[in-house]
């Protein structure tokens, strides 16, 4: 059985784009911005804004090249002005020649995270590793690999020791409606306790054997990460902070590891919500701020570079990461598994195309008929929590970007988080209904609340973490509003509370659905079930 077939009928998390509060109505006029902020790199005023651009009105009754008109010749809603007019179309990446089947195999077998826990010790101690080792197996893997949780690969060290090593599915596989979905960001992971502390529960081994050396290496890497990567809330992900700390401990040119920080960092926790992999085929800029542009293999490899110790080791991985990228591009969003009111969805489609499509694209049964503009939207317009974007200016994220661009990884992919402006990307909405919680930091539990900012709670928690407990009306996880945040809660309950007053956890912004009536909002939600 392939990973693609495990993709059952579900989807992953990431906000219905950060888009702004400056326009209460998506079709409002944008603020004046420098002309360069609404064009792709190197584009003149007369050039197109990219292959997947959406049309905008250039003047009353006049439409852009790709504008659609009705039978009467009048411009359609797709020609209206809106927040998208202030967006920057991120250039398309170069095509990569990869083998999807080989990439699928590499994802769950290769040693891109090349250190780990000796296999026999892992099987004895995995119960102590909590969220990191509580997943089901992939029984179609062979041999000892079939005994490992889906997010661990069986690899062999240079010294011949069989190791259980983490893989990308630690963050990028989750459950929906009771089934494991490859490519769905995990929404229930508990990173409030770091794995370094958990590993300390495993018996230490004297460094006299290859097994001991490998275990000590794995433990040391996570002890370096641990103090900076503990999240406040179950379900949020510390991936951005992991990248910052990995950069701080490495020589950018040789990639040699140092147990001591080479760049002094003490980053704030930047919570994120892992986006679904089925967006890969459409997105030109990866990450919420669109900072990865071009050949994305560099950032994909860096994200899994926990145990890389040399540029030569990284170079050996470059070929099969083209295959992994090719596999990711084959993953499709699942179909909504419950009944849909088709008449109500048709009403919602009209509202969506007037108010949302300019940023999030158009959708069709024929993929060739779809559009996606790949827009970066200015932070002032999106108005969602600014921490992730603003730390790219002069904070630890800025230091990581500088390190990355100077490093071996920068020879593959360059990062830019400030060109032409700070902002967040508007994602495609395929399978959006299954990707709760929403916004880039997972601060909003349902799509209904994404479209109604005034009703969002300051403090909330999920009813439970059962993937079968899903709200088919509000499209998201059933939740409970609370009167107090984490500081006022018992210690054992605090980690289950999403507290929007904590730095980086704000739940505001993206107010584009606020002008909808309740009936209109319900229609849009019904339409989103069809994507």
């Amino acid at each position: 059985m392939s990973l693609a077939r495990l993709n059952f009928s579900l989807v992953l998390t990431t906000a219905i784009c950060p888009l702004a509060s400056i326009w209460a109505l998506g079709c409002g006029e944008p603020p004046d911005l420098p002309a360069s902020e609404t064009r792709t790199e190197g584009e003149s005023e007369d050039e197109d804004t990219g292959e997947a651009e959406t049309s905008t009105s250039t003047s009353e009754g006049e439409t852009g090249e790709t504008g659609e008109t009705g039978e009467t010749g009048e411009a359609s809603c797709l020609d209206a002005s809106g927040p998208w007019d202030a967006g920057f179309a991120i250039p398309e990446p170069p095509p990569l020649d990869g083998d999807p089947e080989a990439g699928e195999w590499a994802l769950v077998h290769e040693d891109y995270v090349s250190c780990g826990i000796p296999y026999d010790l892992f099987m004895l101690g995995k119960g102590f590793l909590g969220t990191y080792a509580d997943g089901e197996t992939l029984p179609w893997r062979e041999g000892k690999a079939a005994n490992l949780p889906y997010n661990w690969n069986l690899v062999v060290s240079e010294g011949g020791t069989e190791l259980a090593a983490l893989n990308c599915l630690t963050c990028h596989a989750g459950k929906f409606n009771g089934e494991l979905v490859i490519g769905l960001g995990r929404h229930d992971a508990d990173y409030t306790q770091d794995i370094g502390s958990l590993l300390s529960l495993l018996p230490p081994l004297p460094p006299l054997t290859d097994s001991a050396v490998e275990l000590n290496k794995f433990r040391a890497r996570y002890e370096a990460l641990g103090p900076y990567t503990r999240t406040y809330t179950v379900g949020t992900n510390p991936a951005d902070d992991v990248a910052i700390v990995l950069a701080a401990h490495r020589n950018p040119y040789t990639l040699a590891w140092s147990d001591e920080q080479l760049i002094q960092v003490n980053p704030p926790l930047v919570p994120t919500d892992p986006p679904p992999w089925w967006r890969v085929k459409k997105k030109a800029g990866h990450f919420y701020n669109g900072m990865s542009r071009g050949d994305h293999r560099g950032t994909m490899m860096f994200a899994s570079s926990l145990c890389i110790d040399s540029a030569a080791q990284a170079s050996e991985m470059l070929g099969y990461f083209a295959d992994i990228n090719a596999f990711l591009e084959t993953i499709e969003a699942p179909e909504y598994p419950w009944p849909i009111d088709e008449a109500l969805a048709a009403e919602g489609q009209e509202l969506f195309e007037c108010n949302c499509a300019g940023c999030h694209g158009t959708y069709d049964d024929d993929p060739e008929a779809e559009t996606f503009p790949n827009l970066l939207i200015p932070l002032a317009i999106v108005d969602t929590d600014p921490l992730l974007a603003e730390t790219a200016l002069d904070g630890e994220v800025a230091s990581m970007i500088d390190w990355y661009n100077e490093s071996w990884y920068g020879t593959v992919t360059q990062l830019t988080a400030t060109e032409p402006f700070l902002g967040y990307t508007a994602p495609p909405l395929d399978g959006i209904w299954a990707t709760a919680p929403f916004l880039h930091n997972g601060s909003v539990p349902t799509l209904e609340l994404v479209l109604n900012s005034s009703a969002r709670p300051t403090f909330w928690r999920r009813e439970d973490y059962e993937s079968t407990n899903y709200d088919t009306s509000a499209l998201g996880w059933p939740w409970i509003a609370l009167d107090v945040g984490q500081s006022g809660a018992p210690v054992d309950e605090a980690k289950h509370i999403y507290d929007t007053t904590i730095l980086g956890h704000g739940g505001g912004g993206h107010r584009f659905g606020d002008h909808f009536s309740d009936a209109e909002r319900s229609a849009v939600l019904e339409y989103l079930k069809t994507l």
Side-chain angles (χ1 to χ4, degrees):
M1 182 184 299
S2 71
L3 291 184
R5 286 193 290 275
L6 276 175
N7 195 22
F8 303 114
S9 59
L10 328 154
V11 309
L12 161 62
T13 55
T14 299
I16 233 184
C17 143
L19 292 176
S21 61
I22 288 189
W23 300 281
L25 177 64
C27 298
E29 289 296 324
D32 291 333
L33 289 171
S36 62
E37 296 193 357
T38 59
R39 302 187 188 93
T40 53
E41 295 172 8
E43 180 182 22
S44 72
E45 292 188 21
D46 295 328
E47 288 176 322
D48 292 338
T49 57
E51 292 180 11
E53 73 175 319
T54 54
S55 60
T56 59
S57 296
T58 54
S59 64
E60 187 173 349
E62 184 179 346
T63 64
E65 275 188 285
T66 59
E68 297 181 14
T69 59
E71 293 182 7
T72 64
E74 296 179 359
S76 74
C77 273
L78 293 174
D79 305 311
S81 294
W84 42 87
D85 291 330
F88 168 76
I90 297 174
E92 293 289 332
L96 294 175
D97 185 16
D99 179 343
E101 291 188 8
E104 178 185 36
W105 187 92
L107 187 66
V108 293
H109 290 90
E110 286 285 8
D111 61 349
Y112 46 90
V113 179
S114 55
C115 65
I117 302 172
Y119 174 83
D120 291 335
L121 183 59
F122 177 87
M123 295 304 292
L124 287 172
K126 65 180 181 178
F128 294 105
L129 295 179
T131 243
Y132 292 89
D134 62 357
E136 62 194 70
T137 63
L138 298 176
W140 45 270
R141 291 197 291 195
E142 298 178 350
K144 293 180 179 178
N147 300 325
L148 294 174
Y150 65 83
N151 60 315
W152 295 78
N153 288 354
L154 182 70
V155 304
V156 180
S157 72
E158 290 184 0
T161 301
E162 290 183 319
L163 302 171
L166 286 162
N167 65 36
C168 295
L169 302 185
T170 301
C171 300
H172 293 285
K175 284 195 168 184
F176 188 92
N177 207 23
E179 304 206 26
L180 180 67
V181 185
I182 303 302
L184 178 67
R186 187 168 177 184
H187 52 78
D188 62 351
D190 183 359
Y191 297 120
T192 62
Q193 183 175 15
D194 70 85
I195 193 173
S197 299
L198 296 171
L199 286 171
S200 68
L201 300 174
L202 294 172
L205 298 176
L208 304 176
T209 64
D210 185 63
S211 293
V213 170
E214 290 296 332
L215 177 62
N216 293 342
K217 177 180 178 179
F218 187 69
R219 186 201 307 265
R221 299 296 163 95
Y222 267 105
E223 286 177 348
L225 292 175
Y228 308 101
T229 57
R230 292 182 61 178
T231 63
Y232 290 94
T233 309
V234 174
T236 56
N237 191 290
D240 283 41
D241 291 86
V242 169
I244 291 167
V245 178
L246 289 177
H249 282 268
R250 276 210 171 84
N251 179 292
Y253 310 109
T254 66
L255 303 187
W257 176 268
S258 166
D259 286 336
E260 302 299 323
Q261 289 187 359
L262 301 177
I263 304 171
Q264 295 304 305
V265 297
N266 185 22
L269 192 281
V270 181
T272 58
D273 190 44
W277 273 348
W278 47 82
R279 292 179 180 165
V280 168
K281 67 171 66 68
K282 287 187 175 182
K283 290 194 58 131
H286 287 191
F287 304 107
Y288 284 104
N289 59 2
M291 66 181 176
S292 176
R293 304 175 190 178
D295 182 346
H296 298 298
R297 288 180 296 171
T299 50
M300 291 166 64
M301 293 168 62
F302 178 54
S304 55
S305 67
L306 177 69
C307 301
I308 296 299
D309 289 320
S310 70
Q313 188 181 5
S315 297
E316 293 174 0
M317 299 161 53
L318 194 59
Y320 71 74
F321 262 84
D323 297 332
I324 291 176
N325 186 76
F327 169 66
L328 300 187
E329 291 183 348
T330 68
I331 298 177
E332 297 289 341
E335 293 185 5
Y336 187 77
W338 297 288
I340 297 174
D341 183 332
E342 297 295 345
L344 185 61
E347 294 177 23
Q349 180 175 2
E350 292 186 30
L351 290 162
F352 178 89
E353 290 181 350
C354 287
N355 296 277
C356 312
C359 286
H360 293 290
T362 61
Y363 300 83
D364 194 273
D365 291 338
D366 177 7
E368 295 299 317
E370 295 187 343
T371 65
F372 181 65
N374 267 303
L375 294 181
L376 178 72
I377 305 297
L379 180 60
I381 295 174
V382 177
D383 204 30
T384 50
D385 190 282
L387 181 65
L388 189 155
E390 290 180 344
T391 53
L393 278 177
D394 54 11
E396 277 84 354
V397 172
S399 298
M400 183 274 291
I401 291 172
D402 290 342
W403 179 95
Y404 178 95
N405 287 337
E406 196 64 24
S407 76
W408 178 89
Y409 295 105
T411 66
V412 182
T413 312
Q414 285 282 295
L415 298 181
T416 175
T418 59
E419 296 296 332
F421 45 69
L422 291 180
Y424 293 121
T425 58
L429 302 185
D430 306 89
I432 187 66
W433 47 267
T435 65
F438 301 98
L439 300 188
H440 68 269
N441 56 6
S443 58
V444 180
T446 68
L447 271 176
E448 180 181 49
L449 292 173
V450 172
L451 299 177
N452 187 7
S453 67
S454 63
R456 296 175 197 165
T458 302
F459 312 117
W460 62 275
R461 62 165 296 164
R462 287 176 61 170
E463 285 186 355
D464 54 44
Y465 297 104
E466 292 296 326
S467 69
T468 55
N469 187 17
Y470 180 80
D471 188 333
T472 57
S473 296
L475 300 187
W477 304 122
W479 57 280
I480 301 168
L482 304 172
D483 294 327
V484 297
Q486 291 199 2
S487 63
V491 174
D492 60 339
E493 293 187 17
K495 71 177 184 177
H496 301 292
I497 298 173
Y498 199 104
D499 183 339
T500 63
T501 68
I502 296 174
L503 180 69
H505 292 69
H510 192 283
R511 291 186 275 270
F512 299 110
D514 288 3
H515 66 286
F516 289 139
S517 67
D518 289 345
E520 289 172 330
R521 189 172 294 112
S522 294
V524 173
L525 291 172
E526 200 70 14
Y527 173 64
L528 293 176
K529 296 175 183 179
T530 70
L531 305 186

